[in-house]
Amino acid sequence: MGLGSEEGKVKSSWDVCKSKERKKKEGTKAGCWVKLRLVGSCISSRSKVDSSVSGTSSHFESKSINDASTDQPAAPVVSSSTTSNTESNSSLSKLEEELKVASRLRKFTFNDLKLATRNFRPESLLGEGGFGCVFKGWIEENGTAPVKPGTGLTVAVKTLNHDGLQGHKEWLDYNAKLSDFGLAKDGPEGDKTHVSTRVMGTYGYAAPEDPKARPLMSEVVDTLKPLPNLKDMASSSYYFQTMQADRVGSSPNAKNGVRSQAGLLSRNGHQQRSFSIPHGPHASPFHHQYPHQSPKPSGKP
Ligand SMILES: Nc1ncnc2c1ncn2[C@@H]1O[C@H](COP(=O)(O)OP(=O)(O)OP(=O)(O)O)[C@@H](O)[C@H]1O
């Protein structure tokens, strides 16, 4: 990315950034989020800012802008060589992959980036995106320490807006130790009649810096084994039953042409409540989500 064309924008962008910053400082004590890229080169791993030094909440992300570059300080990207047939195996290899990437992370302090960009000074401003300003800085080739301008690696550091959510998800993920063991089943959607038996959910997530906190996949599988047959659970659910009834009712082959309402099945002219709802339709968590009529357009005006 050429820097010359950015020169004209620098002053005005900086003014915009500064005045925004001023407003934010007055209104909130929220931390500064930063994102980092190499200029004309790349770091193949994602990195995180340690905000403990500055006491502010900071986020750092390195992004490749030139994947063809081979002069890299970070380890090469590990290729995925695991060929798994089962889902748990592929999940396992995915986790392994994540751990390998995590082990290559560089951890920056806010101060590192502050010094690298010479205190985010106006002269270091490269430009402004929708979510914040981008500054030029210099860090050592194989580490995180700031170095003199013109030496080491040139990087672009983005300070994310205080009230923006860019990078928020990654930051939360990084901070999570083990979380969300919730499991869910894929229900039928639209035209699809197939009910997936695949269990969706996060088996567990360990912070990259603490891989020991991650449970072994075999432990996860053992935990899941005693669960009741999820396929049966799904097909006897209120959601599935109602969906089926609605589909039969809206089918052109439906004999009596009576469409079902949520929670009621129409068979042979008799109305009966779906057996999967012991306490009526309000017992279902899907009650408010599922439309009473088929979402499928009828094709008629
Ligand atoms: N690596 C870089 N080298 C040189 N200039 C850069 C670099 N990265 C960003 N810039 C400058 O900073 C400006 C903003 O970049 P940024 O990545 O924030 O843009 P964006 O993706 O449009 O923003 P956002 O994601 O906030 O909407 C760019 O238009 C460019 O002028």
Side-chain angles (χ1 to χ4, degrees):
M1 181 182 296
L3 301 183
S5 60
E6 303 298 329
E7 295 297 330
K9 276 167 66 179
V10 167
K11 182 76 170 69
S12 57
S13 294
W14 173 247
D15 290 341
V16 172
C17 288
K18 267 297 188 198
S19 68
K20 278 185 193 165
E21 283 303 307
R22 230 178 283 123
K23 266 194 211 154
K24 278 171 218 147
K25 273 179 191 150
E26 285 159 12
T28 171
K29 286 196 172 172
C32 164
W33 293 66
V34 294
K35 205 172 169 182
L36 185 142
R37 299 165 193 170
L38 292 190
V39 176
S41 183
C42 81
I43 292 179
S44 60
S45 62
R46 291 157 69 88
S47 306
K48 175 189 167 189
V49 165
D50 179 355
S51 61
S52 56
V53 175
S54 69
T56 60
S57 163
S58 307
H59 174 264
F60 164 92
E61 183 184 31
S62 72
K63 237 187 188 178
S64 166
I65 59 168
N66 178 8
D67 288 333
S69 172
T70 51
D71 184 19
Q72 301 308 318
V77 174
V78 179
S79 66
S80 174
S81 58
T82 312
T83 50
S84 317
N85 291 327
T86 67
E87 283 176 10
S88 73
N89 276 349
S90 78
S91 298
L92 190 57
S93 64
K94 234 175 168 181
L95 294 179
E96 283 173 348
E97 200 77 10
E98 279 177 21
L99 278 176
K100 281 174 193 164
V101 171
S103 68
R104 297 197 306 267
L105 291 177
R106 294 193 205 184
K107 199 172 177 180
F108 289 77
T109 65
F110 178 78
N111 217 35
D112 286 336
L113 299 176
K114 191 175 162 191
L115 292 173
T117 57
R118 293 172 294 160
N119 204 12
F120 304 105
R121 69 202 304 168
E123 293 78 21
S124 304
L125 188 72
L126 289 172
E128 186 191 5
F131 295 92
C133 299
V134 179
F135 299 88
K136 189 174 181 179
W138 291 267
I139 60 169
E140 61 185 5
E141 290 274 345
N142 295 309
T144 60
V147 294
K148 261 182 23 191
T151 64
L153 288 174
T154 313
V155 293
V157 180
K158 180 165 183 175
T159 57
L160 297 177
N161 293 338
H162 290 229
D163 45 2
L165 286 178
Q166 202 186 35
H168 188 67
K169 187 176 167 295
E170 291 91 330
W171 177 247
L172 291 180
D173 284 351
Y174 272 123
N175 278 305
K177 293 283 177 185
L178 289 169
S179 65
D180 185 14
F181 279 85
L183 300 171
K185 289 285 296 169
D186 257 348
E189 269 179 33
D191 283 332
K192 294 178 204 152
T193 53
H194 172 70
V195 180
S196 166
T197 55
R198 186 171 162 227
V199 177
M200 311 287 287
T202 312
Y203 294 121
Y205 184 80
E209 66 270 23
D210 188 15
K212 284 185 195 137
R214 189 188 297 275
L216 293 173
M217 186 51 70
S218 57
E219 290 168 359
V220 174
V221 170
D222 279 348
T223 308
L224 294 177
K225 264 184 199 161
L227 287 178
N229 187 315
L230 291 169
K231 187 177 179 184
D232 293 344
M233 278 171 66
S235 57
S236 65
S237 72
Y238 166 77
Y239 178 75
F240 183 74
Q241 298 270 333
T242 310
M243 175 78 77
Q244 289 291 83
D246 190 59
R247 193 166 286 126
V248 169
S250 62
S251 156
N253 298 328
K255 287 189 182 143
N256 55 16
V258 179
R259 290 177 61 85
S260 66
Q261 297 297 307
L264 295 174
L265 300 178
S266 177
R267 270 193 211 144
N268 303 326
H270 299 294
Q271 284 194 326
Q272 35 181 239
R273 208 172 277 288
S274 165
F275 63 83
S276 65
I277 329 165
H279 304 296
H282 293 283
S284 167
F286 299 106
H287 179 67
H288 300 293
Q289 293 169 15
Y290 182 66
H292 288 201
Q293 300 296 324
S294 168
K296 260 183 81 175
S298 66
K300 290 177 188 165

